Amino acid sequence: MSTEQLETAANILKLLGDKTRLSIIGMLMIHDCCVCEFVDVFQMSQPAISQHLRKLKDAGLVKEQRKGQWVIYSLDQQNQLFPMIKDILKFVPNQNEKFIWLEKNGLRISCD
């Protein structure tokens, strides 16, 4: 492993050391989401969630797609580090309960 690869891996691990960002990645492994869904799930402000997503996007872990006025986020499975992310998520609790909560509260379809 080159010094550059080691640096990249260390930066990704630092980035995922934040439980909110790790949960976001876990959720995106299941479904694409918009900011409003993360705001509801994490009970955080939209600017705070956007900051987390920007860091993940800057690292190349997530990508965004515009759908009308909404921005939908998804994992960038083409990223060379995606296999590492998948392996890390094996040790993280499944985030599906967050989607169940969103649906139960009528918040899952808020961006369609």
Side-chain angles (χ1 to χ4, degrees):
M1 180 179 270
S2 73
T3 304
E4 185 179 318
Q5 289 172 310
L6 186 59
E7 183 80 24
T8 300
N11 286 335
I12 295 300
L13 291 171
K14 262 191 262 180
L15 190 65
L16 296 180
D18 179 274
K19 69 180 183 177
T20 300
R21 287 192 288 272
L22 188 58
S23 293
I24 287 171
I25 292 291
M27 287 178 70
L28 291 175
M29 192 69 170
I30 300 168
H31 292 290
D32 297 350
C33 295
C34 78
V35 173
C36 63
E37 292 169 310
F38 294 127
V39 166
D40 291 331
V41 164
F42 297 108
Q43 298 294 296
M44 296 173 75
S45 70
Q46 185 272 326
I49 292 294
S50 291
Q51 183 81 340
H52 284 298
L53 288 165
R54 184 191 56 74
K55 289 177 181 182
L56 293 170
K57 186 180 170 207
D58 288 350
L61 300 182
V62 301
K63 55 187 178 177
E64 59 183 34
Q65 176 186 4
R66 286 213 164 268
K67 284 190 179 178
Q69 70 186 61
W70 306 110
V71 178
I72 307 299
Y73 290 88
S74 60
L75 283 182
D76 185 352
Q77 296 187 22
Q78 304 307 309
N79 185 299
Q80 65 181 11
L81 296 171
F82 182 71
M84 181 176 83
I85 301 302
K86 254 177 102 171
D87 285 344
I88 290 169
L89 289 176
K90 290 177 186 173
F91 300 95
V92 174
N94 186 298
Q95 300 298 300
N96 202 46
E97 79 276 355
K98 291 178 173 72
F99 291 105
I100 294 167
W101 181 86
L102 283 168
E103 288 172 16
K104 182 177 163 191
N105 289 285
L107 301 168
R108 178 68 181 131
I109 58 169
S110 59
C111 295
D112 288 346

